[in-house]
Amino acid sequence: MAIRNASHAGSWYDDDERELSSQLDEFLSRVPDQLEDNDLPVPGARVIIAPHAGYSYSGPCAAWAYKALDLKAAKRVFILGPSHTYYLRGCALTTFNKYATPFGDLVVDRNTVNELRETGKFTDIPARRDVDEHSLEMHIPFLWKRLQQTFGDDSAKYPPIVPILVGDGSVEEEKAFGSLLSPYLKDPTTAWIVSSDFCHWGSRFSYRPHFADGAIRDMDAPLSKGVRHEVLNVTPPDWSQLGVSSGEPEIHEVIKVLDQLAMDAVESGKHSEFYKVVQDSHNTVCGRHPIGVIMAALESLETADGKGKFKFVQYQRSNLVKKSFDFSVSYASAYAVV
């Protein structure tokens, strides 16, 4: 059986089982045991959004989503992430049978993968690209830890996983994949992890919005547009209400506003609204398409009583940017009760 090696262990996270376990325990212990009168995990919170950077950067934020994740009824876990290693249109499925971690291997649900492949709507992730990709791998040790807390030390009791890369796509294409996945989402024994960082700010990401002359402008607007410091299609907030007395916000405050627009759109439960906000702001949310697909799937369920909508519980940035030569990546964690 082909096993995908834990290629980022020893660099993006610890490859020593004891050290990694201790680190994840520490991240989870920092999260309160209750959120708004809900004991954690939140009952019925079968879907989360969590970041995928190196654990020293995003681990403390990701822990908020994982501590909220309710796995007690899980019999399979979908993991949706963006492709960083090759251009992908649509969605692609892993060809591996297991994903390795320093703790042990999580088994891939080959039956579900084959069902999806038989629809003819999915391609296969090239094996080398699968190994190089971090957006899926970074969730496997966190998931193992939470499965261990839920089911005990016998990994034979752990539900299998369904790793899917979600690539570029229009609103209609995201809705189509959301509709295709919605029957699995309806299944109360299925849990979902959506992998995404939020704003990537800096010249290395070709995205440097700042506030100037009454507007939010991108210092790295494409030359093809023939303009410098393109004005983004975003209405700036009343900065004084955000505690910015001078009316001249720091760059990190602009980043927070852009991320808040995206998070508000996710919490709205309206897939098209999130898609539009990202298009208008050009926000470099790397997992915007996985988020879009799961939002489309949730929206198709037509749940009531606030179910099926994400709630963000944590937001962090790797750095509070003040200078144009600096950089940062934003991290956010959310859960949805289904």
Side-chain angles (χ1 to χ4, degrees):
M1 295 177 69
I3 300 175
R4 183 200 177 280
N5 293 326
S7 58
H8 292 74
S11 53
W12 289 51
Y13 59 94
D14 208 302
D15 58 356
D16 180 87
E17 178 182 355
R18 291 185 178 180
E19 291 296 326
L20 179 59
S21 181
S22 177
Q23 183 185 46
L24 295 178
D25 284 337
E26 172 63 20
F27 290 155
L28 291 164
S29 72
R30 296 179 198 171
V31 181
D33 292 329
Q34 284 190 328
L35 289 176
E36 296 184 351
D37 298 327
N38 281 316
D39 290 334
L40 298 187
V42 178
R46 296 192 287 111
V47 188
I48 61 169
I49 296 171
H52 54 233
Y55 284 176
S56 62
Y57 293 100
S58 70
C61 181
W64 286 74
Y66 275 96
K67 195 161 182 176
L69 180 62
D70 184 0
L71 291 167
K72 65 179 179 296
K75 293 185 179 179
R76 62 183 162 191
V77 182
F78 280 73
I79 307 173
L80 276 57
S83 174
H84 296 86
T85 63
Y86 74 109
Y87 179 77
L88 171 65
R89 187 88 188 184
C91 296
L93 302 164
T94 188
T95 59
F96 288 100
N97 292 321
K98 294 182 179 179
Y99 270 51
T101 80
F103 304 128
D105 302 335
L106 287 183
V107 176
V108 172
D109 186 342
R110 297 309 313 177
N111 289 335
T112 300
V113 167
N114 289 336
E115 282 179 3
L116 294 172
R117 183 174 288 117
E118 287 172 2
T119 67
K121 303 296 184 182
F122 295 80
T123 58
D124 287 338
I125 308 171
R128 183 69 254 169
R129 302 297 191 183
D130 202 335
V131 172
D132 291 343
E133 180 57 59
H134 65 273
S135 75
L136 302 175
E137 178 184 340
M138 298 305 294
H139 292 281
I140 304 300
F142 249 120
L143 176 59
W144 180 288
K145 170 61 68 173
R146 288 291 293 111
L147 291 172
Q148 185 180 46
Q149 292 176 345
T150 304
F151 297 103
D153 293 331
D154 184 1
S155 61
K157 297 179 181 179
Y158 298 172
I161 59 174
V162 184
I164 302 175
L165 285 185
V166 182
D168 201 6
S170 64
V171 169
E172 292 74 19
E173 288 169 324
E174 288 185 3
K175 286 183 177 179
F177 276 107
S179 178
L180 192 153
L181 293 174
S182 63
Y184 298 96
L185 186 60
K186 290 179 183 177
D187 181 354
T189 66
T190 299
W192 298 73
I193 297 165
V194 182
S195 177
S196 182
D197 296 335
F198 273 66
C199 182
H200 298 60
W201 196 99
S203 58
R204 68 178 64 179
F205 308 116
S206 299
Y207 187 67
R208 291 185 297 162
H210 69 303
F211 185 74
D213 300 325
I216 296 179
R217 304 167 182 270
D218 185 2
M219 289 183 273
D220 290 334
L223 293 177
S224 60
K225 295 194 175 183
V227 296
R228 291 191 62 200
H229 296 197
E230 175 192 7
V231 176
L232 301 182
N233 187 21
V234 174
T235 301
D238 183 343
W239 296 105
S240 64
Q241 292 186 1
L242 301 178
V244 181
S245 57
S246 66
E248 297 180 0
E250 299 278 7
I251 291 172
H252 66 84
E253 292 168 320
V254 175
I255 292 171
K256 185 176 182 180
V257 165
L258 293 170
D259 279 332
Q260 192 62 57
L261 287 170
M263 291 188 290
D264 288 347
V266 171
E267 288 189 333
S268 76
K270 298 178 180 177
H271 165 249
S272 59
E273 176 66 16
F274 173 67
Y275 197 97
K276 182 179 185 301
V277 164
V278 173
Q279 291 291 106
D280 288 348
S281 66
H282 303 172
N283 196 342
T284 45
V285 180
C286 61
R288 58 193 177 277
H289 295 298
I291 293 173
V293 166
I294 197 66
M295 285 187 70
L298 286 166
E299 196 170 9
S300 71
L301 296 185
E302 298 180 350
T303 54
D305 301 326
K307 289 186 176 181
K309 290 185 179 181
F310 282 106
K311 180 175 180 59
F312 281 90
V313 292
Q314 187 64 193
Y315 172 72
Q316 299 175 9
R317 283 153 290 175
S318 65
N319 182 35
L320 297 182
V321 176
K322 295 184 178 181
K323 303 295 183 182
S324 62
F325 54 79
D326 215 339
F327 69 93
S328 80
V329 179
S330 303
Y331 313 119
S333 281
Y335 70 85
V337 174
V338 184

